[in-house]
Structures are given as structure tokens and as C-alpha cells.
């Protein structure tokens, strides 16, 4: 049975999460993908603060399809997280506690996840219509000019994910493959 | 000489774009169901069950199964005795793509230039390959090709001495490297032979063959079957979290090549293997 967690994540929950756990997340997450990450980190170097306070928050790497009239959001599954790796350690330094995406993270990001006590969740890549059902509202909060890549605040309810990298250094991509390799 | 009208092509292409993104093909759907019975990992089974439910929702609500609604890629067989009137074939395809992606609430993922990265706003231009064939028909094959799997694809000029073993080793290494990034379970498309650009095209073309249909050459068919087994022994599993379903299928296309060459291209496709074929009359 999946475990239900209400965001923001607290320290006890973060300690209890183990790579491979099935979780249903509820609460607030923010969307950001390549272009938003690049802008946040590059503008910060020029002295412009992040448009949202990331402390304690969870980012979802997604570029949804356009919402049909009357819908909160279109189809919204995870994109490949590795493209964010260059920027992620800085966001973790600023207090980011969780990320939802799919695919491998760099060694640097994995170390950073342990150091800053954060967690990397994987949603099922390609299950975008199913995932959208657990997104109850979506509102653009920054970088509107980036279109599908704008930063959106999402209210999610029982959003299905798996723990990929935990704060103990666990990695389900390595452990899972080792277990089923013949 | 048979005439085919520009506007008819636009309409057909528009519908193909919409349908490919909402209605998962029966071949892929039944491959999911089959995999659900054989998958050894509980997590893997849960993921396959989510993919089946996702396909059901997408079809029932006519929404895209994946948010990456892809690059629209076409292989068009143009009968040399047919005549297209009212405009160019490529323009008609692009107009159909723009309309289909707009009306279908599909995501526009195409940018003008790989370096300045500004979105074109209507998912065009499409990638269009034209094959001139005998006859007077116009058959359009379309796929909405996702970026995640495309990005993990690869091409290598192997040495003839690498032989069959070298080809297999290379394919397994690329699937392993792709791991979760290409959204397994995968369809692995392979092009062997031709030259540098032809083998990439062959790999792409192989992905247009429906799942479960083997190559007509028994030797190639056997290689496809061997590779399915070997890839599924890698342990990558659904979404790379471990399991016995890494490839739903392997497709290989082969072509003659130079005495000094053994080109091999691997075009990975994710489980969102979205294809449509129509013949315009
Ligand atoms: S690789 Fe395929 S399933 Fe995964 S996000 Fe891209 S299009 Fe969707």
C-alpha cells in the first residue's frame, strides 16, 4: 500500500523515506523545467532573487499540455530530471526539499540531496493523463513568458510517486536493477 | 494520373496528430497487458497498471497520454503516378500538424533554432521523409516522437570485424545507458547498414512497424527475438526501477553497405509509441 504524505515535508518524514517507497503526495508543489531553472540561477548571479521562496518546497519538472476549457491543467507527466542537474545543487542550498521528475541524477546532485537532506521522487514518465487527475489547481506565479515552461503553483491531491533518491544515499535505479538483473 | 488535393492531406494529417496522441495503438496496449502478467517486480507491475489506466483515461477523455506530444515525424510513400494539386506536400503536412496540435490541445515542443531556442508556437516544422514508390497512392505514416527517448538514441560506425556480437553488445550498452531516462518499457529501433545517415533513418523507420510483428527475413526476425530476451535480462524494468520488462519489442531494419563499414543506429522509443497510417484517396 502506498504511504500518504502531506506537503511540506517534515524532517521525520524525510528520514523515514526510503528509495523504492510508493507515496501519494498532497499539498503544494511548484513546476519548473529547463528554462525556468536557467533563468532562476543566472538571474540570481546578477543579484535578482528567485521569484519564489524555495525553502521547504517541492519542485515538479513538468511542461504540461495546454488546459482544455474548464480544466485546471492539461496532461502533466514528469520530464527528464538530468537536464536540471546543473542548477539543482544551488536550489538545494537555498532550502529546496524535494523534486519530482524522472530519470538519473548526476553524482553531484545525489551528494547534494544527502548533504541538504532532501528527496528525489520519480513519477511515471508518460502517465500524464493519469497524473493530471491528481492536480486540482494550477496558477502561473512567475515567468509567464516561458509558456509551458512558466513556474506554476499546483495544488495536488494523492499524486503518485516513488522515492528514487533518499537522504540516506539510497538509489532505486541502482538497487532495483541489481535485484532483477539476470 | 490520379489527383490528390492539398486540403485532403491537411485534414488527414490533422486527425492523425490528434488521434496518435490520445488513442494508444492496440499493439502497445496489448503489449502492456502481456507484460503485466510476466513482470517479476511488484513496483514494475504497479507502473504497468498505471500505464494501462493512463491509456484508458486518455482515450475516454480524448486527452494526450503524455505531456510530451512529440516531434511529428512522417514517412510518406508517394506513388510516382499520383499528382498533388493545390499546394506542396510538405506545406500540407505542416498545415495539418499546426491545426492538429492546436485543436487537440497538444503541446508545442518545436523551436526555430537549436541554439536560440525560441518556440515556433505550432509544433512545426514536422520532420518529413518522402519515399517515391510505384503506383498512384499516397500513404502517410506518422509518429509523435517523444524527446526523452530520442535524446538517449545513438549511432556508431562499428568495424566489420565487430560482427553480430559487436552489434548486440552496442545495443545492450545503449539501452543500459538510457535506463530510466527513455521511459521504459521501450521499443528499441535499430538500423544496420546503409551509410551514416541512412542507418539513422532505418532505425527510425523500424519503429513504424507495429509491435509484435517480426521482420520478414527469418534471420533478422531471430536477432530481434534474441535481443528482446537479452534486453529484458538487464533488469532495468518499467521506469528503470528494476524488473523484467525493459523492452516491449525490438525492431531491426537492414540495408546494404560499403565493404569497410558496419554502421549501426539505435533509435529508442518510449512506451508512448504513437503511430498512425492512412492512405489518402
Ligand atoms: S519519453 Fe515518451 S513517455 Fe517519456 S515523457 Fe517523453 S514522450 Fe512521454
Amino acid at each position: 500500500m502506498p504511504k500518504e504524505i502531506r506537503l511540506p515535508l517534515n524532517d521525520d518524514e524525510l528520514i523515514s523515506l526510503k528509495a523504492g517507497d510508493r507515496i501519494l503526495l498532497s499539498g503544494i508543489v511548484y513546476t519548473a523545467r529547463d528554462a525556468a531553472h536557467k533563468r532562476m540561477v543566472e538571474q540570481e548571479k546578477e543579484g535578482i532573487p528567485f521569484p519564489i521562496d524555495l525553502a521547504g518546497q517541492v519542485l515538479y519538472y513538468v511542461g504540461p499540455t495546454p488546459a482544455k476549457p474548464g480544466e485546471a491543467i492539461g496532461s502533466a507527466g514528469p520530464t527528464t530530471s538530468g537536464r536540471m542537474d546543473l542548477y539543482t545543487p544551488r536550489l538545494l542550498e537555498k532550502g529546496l526539499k524535494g523534486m519530482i521528475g524522472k530519470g538519473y541524477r548526476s553524482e553531484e546532485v545525489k551528494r547534494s540531496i544527502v548533504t541538504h537532506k532532501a528527496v528525489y521522487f520519480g513519477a511515471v514518465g508518460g502517465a500524464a493523463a493519469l497524473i493530471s487527475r491528481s492536480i486540482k489547481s494550477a496558477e502561473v506565479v512567475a515567468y509567464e513568458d516561458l509558456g509551458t515552461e512558466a513556474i506554476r503553483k499546483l495544488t495536488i491531491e494523492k499524486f503518485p510517486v516513488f522515492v528514487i533518491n533518499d537522504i540516506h544515499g539510497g538509489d532505486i535505479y541502482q538497487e532495483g536493477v541489481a535485484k532483477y538483473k539476470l | 494520373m490520379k489527383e490528390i488535393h492539398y486540403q485532403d492531406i491537411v485534414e488527414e494529417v490533422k486527425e492523425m496528430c490528434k488521434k496518435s496522441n490520445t488513442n494508444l495503438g492496440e499493439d502497445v496496449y496489448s503489449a502492456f497487458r502481456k507484460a503485466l502478467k510476466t513482470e517479476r517486480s511488484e513496483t514494475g507491475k504497479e507502473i504497468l497498471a498505471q500505464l494501462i489506466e493512463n491509456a484508458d483515461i486518455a482515450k475516454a477523455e480524448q486527452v494526450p497520454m503524455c505531456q510530451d506530444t512529440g516531434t511529428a515525424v512522417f514517412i510518406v510513400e508517394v506513388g510516382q503516378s499520383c499528382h498533388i494539386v493545390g499546394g506542396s506536400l510538405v506545406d500540407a503536412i505542416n498545415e495539418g500538424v499546426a491545426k492538429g496540435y492546436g485543436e487537440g490541445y497538444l503541446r508545442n515542443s518545436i523551436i526555430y533554432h537549436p541554439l536560440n531556442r525560441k518556440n515556433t508556437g505550432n509544433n512545426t516544422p514536422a520532420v518529413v521523409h518522402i519515399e517515391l514508390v510505384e503506383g498512384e497512392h499516397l500513404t502517410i505514416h506518422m509518429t509523435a516522437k517523444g524527446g526523452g527517448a530520442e535524446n538517449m538514441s545513438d549511432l556508431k560506425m562499428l568495424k566489420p570485424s565487430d560482427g553480430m556480437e559487436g552489434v548486440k553488445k552496442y545495443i545492450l550498452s545503449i539501452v543500459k545507458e538510457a535506463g530510466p531516462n527513455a521511459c521504459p518499457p521501450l521499443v528499441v529501433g535499430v538500423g544496420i547498414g546503409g551509410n551514416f545517415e541512412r542507418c539513422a533513418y532505418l532505425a527510425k523507420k523500424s519503429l513504424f512497424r507495429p509491435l509484435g510483428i517480426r521482420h520478414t527475413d527469418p534471420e533478422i526476425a531471430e536477432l530481434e527475438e534474441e535481443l528482446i530476451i537479452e534486453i529484458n535480462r538487464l533488469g532495468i524494468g518499467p521506469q528503470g526501477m528494476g524488473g523484467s520488462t525493459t523492452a516491449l519489442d525490438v525492431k531491426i531494419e537492414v540495408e546494404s553497405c560499403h565493404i569497410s563499414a558496419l554502421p549501426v543506429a539505435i533509435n529508442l522509443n518510449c512506451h508512448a509509441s504513437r503511430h498512425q497510417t492512412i492512405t489518402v484517396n
Side-chain angles (χ1 to χ4, degrees), chain A residues 77-80 102 125-127, chain B residues 65-70 144-150 181-183 239 269-272 274:
Chain A
T79 194
T80 309
K102 63 152 174 125
Chain B
M65 64 191 84
C66 184
Q67 79 291 335
D68 181 356
T69 50
K145 185 72 173 69
E150 192 79 356
N181 290 27
C183 285
Q239 294 296 302
N269 203 4
C270 53
H271 56 79
R274 297 161 286 195

Side-chain angles (χ1 to χ4, degrees), chain A residues 20 22 33 62-69 75-80 83 102-104 122-131 133 148 160 162 164 172-173 176-177 179-182, chain B residues 40-43 46-47 50-51 53-54 57-58 61-67 69 104-107 148 151 176-181 183 233-236 239-244 271:
Chain A
R22 225 178 113 194
R33 40 174 292 159
V62 60
T65 58
K68 283 190 174 175
S75 296
T79 194
T80 309
R83 296 195 314 271
K102 63 152 174 125
Y104 294 129
V124 173
L130 171 76
I131 289 172
R133 286 201 161 170
T148 186
F162 296 87
I164 306 290
I172 193 61
Y173 290 146
V177 173
K179 192 163 158 195
Y180 290 97
K181 191 177 175 340
L182 293 173
Chain B
R40 288 164 57 222
S41 139
E42 281 310 311
T43 300
E46 166 61 25
I47 292 165
Q50 284 193 23
L51 293 179
E53 199 186 341
N54 184 63
I57 295 171
E61 296 179 6
Q62 289 294 291
V63 293
M65 64 191 84
C66 184
Q67 79 291 335
T69 50
Y105 290 89
L106 307 179
R107 196 180 79 182
N151 277 342
K176 222 164 134 181
E177 199 178 303
N181 290 27
C183 285
R233 290 172 68 90
L234 291 173
I236 296 167
Q239 294 296 302
M241 291 187 225
S244 50
H271 56 79

